[in-house]
Amino acid sequence: MKTHPVGEKKANSFQLADMHGNVWEWVQDCMHDSYEGAPTDGSAWLTGKTGKECDLRMHRGGSWANAPAYLRSAKRVKGPKGLAGISLGFRVARTLDQ
């Protein structure tokens, strides 16, 4: 198993491709065990009850090195905010004008 070039895989029913399973997506959100108290406007969750939550960040979606059960955007794991590795990356995104 290995990573693959962008656009090589078939799009899903939402016409999105390359969303799962290439590398874990390192996201801006601080680690939380549940969604209780999460922002409801789609913004990143950058605070915590104890202040220690932001020492760990969330990773989503699984990678080429994981079993199929991990290859979904709802799958979350945590890791140190400075973590790097061959199965972890990030998604460049921007807001489009309406």
Side-chain angles (χ1 to χ4, degrees), residues 7-88:
E8 185 178 272
K9 302 296 181 180
K10 183 179 171 184
N12 65 16
S13 59
F14 299 108
Q15 298 307 306
L16 298 171
D18 303 309
M19 295 298 292
H20 303 106
N22 206 17
V23 294
W24 283 98
E25 184 176 344
W26 189 84
V27 298
Q28 189 175 8
D29 297 272
C30 300
M31 189 284 297
H32 290 84
D33 291 327
S34 74
Y35 290 104
E36 184 179 338
T40 57
D41 63 359
S43 63
W45 199 351
L46 301 176
T47 61
K49 295 177 186 174
T50 69
K52 295 287 186 186
E53 290 87 353
C54 288
D55 291 344
L56 298 172
R57 297 298 172 114
M58 298 309 303
H59 307 154
R60 290 183 171 271
S63 82
W64 56 270
N66 294 114
Y70 285 82
L71 308 183
R72 45 194 297 263
S73 40
K75 182 63 181 172
R76 306 179 319 143
V77 298
K78 60 189 174 193
K81 61 183 173 183
L83 184 65
I86 61 171
S87 63
L88 179 62

